[in-house]
Amino acid sequence: MSKNSFVSMEKVTISIKKYIVNYGVILGVIFAIYGFILYITDNVIDKDWFFAVISAVILISVIIYGIYCYKSANDGFLKLSEALKIGIGIALIGGIIAIIWNALLMNVIEPEMMNQILDAQREKMIANNPNMPQEQIDQSMKFAEKLNSTIIISSFSLISNLFLGFLISLIGGAIMQKNRDVF
């Protein structure tokens, strides 16, 4: 056998980092653009379930496509552990960029947004419970104020992004996995 025959039989690994960074940035930019669209259409405060579905579709699409592109570049081979690393990495970078956008929006572009969100929550609470005593409304709103800080929202957002990224990459990786032959 020639030396070239042995070279083609060697295992070549593709860098996972490149796919994590590229598709993580793509996810973050798409989330930022989507957040900007929600902002200019006045849909940031009263989010409908439809907007959550769109966010989930964006997250699923970018993570699955990133894993698929890695698999394609890796001669059609993919380990589940690689899929998990790629998916969670993409979700992490995309989530951080989305958090930066939200922090910019709530602290620089529209600093009164948090008050508007709290006012909308108060109105919704009164509409759903018209007989609720004022003392209970005030108590609920104090709790809501604590939960609606930028740090708490960012933390929950990142944790949920990572959890969903894990689930998406676990399912997608389990479906797409193909290990190299040992021999």
Side-chain angles (χ1 to χ4, degrees), residues 35-80:
F36 180 72
I37 291 169
L38 289 176
Y39 171 68
I40 62 173
T41 59
D42 288 330
N43 287 307
V44 174
I45 295 171
D46 292 324
K47 287 185 182 174
D48 196 24
W49 63 270
F50 178 73
F51 299 117
V53 170
I54 292 174
S55 292
V57 167
I58 292 169
L59 184 66
I60 292 168
S61 300
V62 174
I63 289 174
I64 294 298
Y65 189 68
I67 293 170
Y68 174 78
C69 288
Y70 172 80
K71 180 182 177 182
S72 296
N74 198 28
D75 295 328
F77 296 107
L78 176 73
K79 293 179 185 174
L80 183 59

Side-chain angles (χ1 to χ4, degrees), residues 7-24:
V7 172
S8 65
M9 296 172 74
E10 290 179 12
K11 184 171 103 176
V12 178
T13 16
I14 308 292
S15 173
I16 290 177
K17 287 181 186 178
K18 173 182 149 185
Y19 291 88
I20 291 172
V21 172
N22 287 348
Y23 290 97

Side-chain angles (χ1 to χ4, degrees), residues 42-134:
D42 288 330
N43 287 307
V44 174
I45 295 171
D46 292 324
K47 287 185 182 174
D48 196 24
W49 63 270
F50 178 73
F51 299 117
V53 170
I54 292 174
S55 292
V57 167
I58 292 169
L59 184 66
I60 292 168
S61 300
V62 174
I63 289 174
I64 294 298
Y65 189 68
I67 293 170
Y68 174 78
C69 288
Y70 172 80
K71 180 182 177 182
S72 296
N74 198 28
D75 295 328
F77 296 107
L78 176 73
K79 293 179 185 174
L80 183 59
S81 62
E82 293 168 335
L84 287 170
K85 288 176 191 173
I86 292 168
I88 292 170
I90 290 170
L92 176 67
I93 293 173
I96 290 171
I97 293 171
I99 287 170
I100 292 169
W101 157 252
N102 284 329
L104 183 68
L105 176 65
M106 291 187 180
N107 296 318
V108 177
I109 298 171
E110 190 72 43
E112 287 298 311
M113 183 172 287
M114 199 57 70
N115 291 333
Q116 294 170 358
I117 291 171
L118 290 171
D119 290 342
Q121 287 176 346
R122 176 185 293 276
E123 288 173 18
K124 202 177 281 186
M125 186 186 321
I126 292 170
N128 291 338
N129 304 304
N131 296 329
M132 184 182 270
Q134 185 63 38

Side-chain angles (χ1 to χ4, degrees), residues 131-166:
N131 296 329
M132 184 182 270
Q134 185 63 38
E135 183 179 296
Q136 193 175 0
I137 292 172
D138 293 340
Q139 200 172 33
S140 296
M141 291 312 298
K142 282 182 185 176
F143 183 71
E145 279 180 45
K146 290 177 185 175
L147 287 180
N148 281 328
S149 74
T150 306
I151 293 172
I152 299 290
I153 291 172
S154 298
S155 299
F156 280 126
S157 174
L158 189 59
I159 290 168
S160 67
N161 224 33
L162 289 173
F163 179 71
L164 290 172
F166 170 77

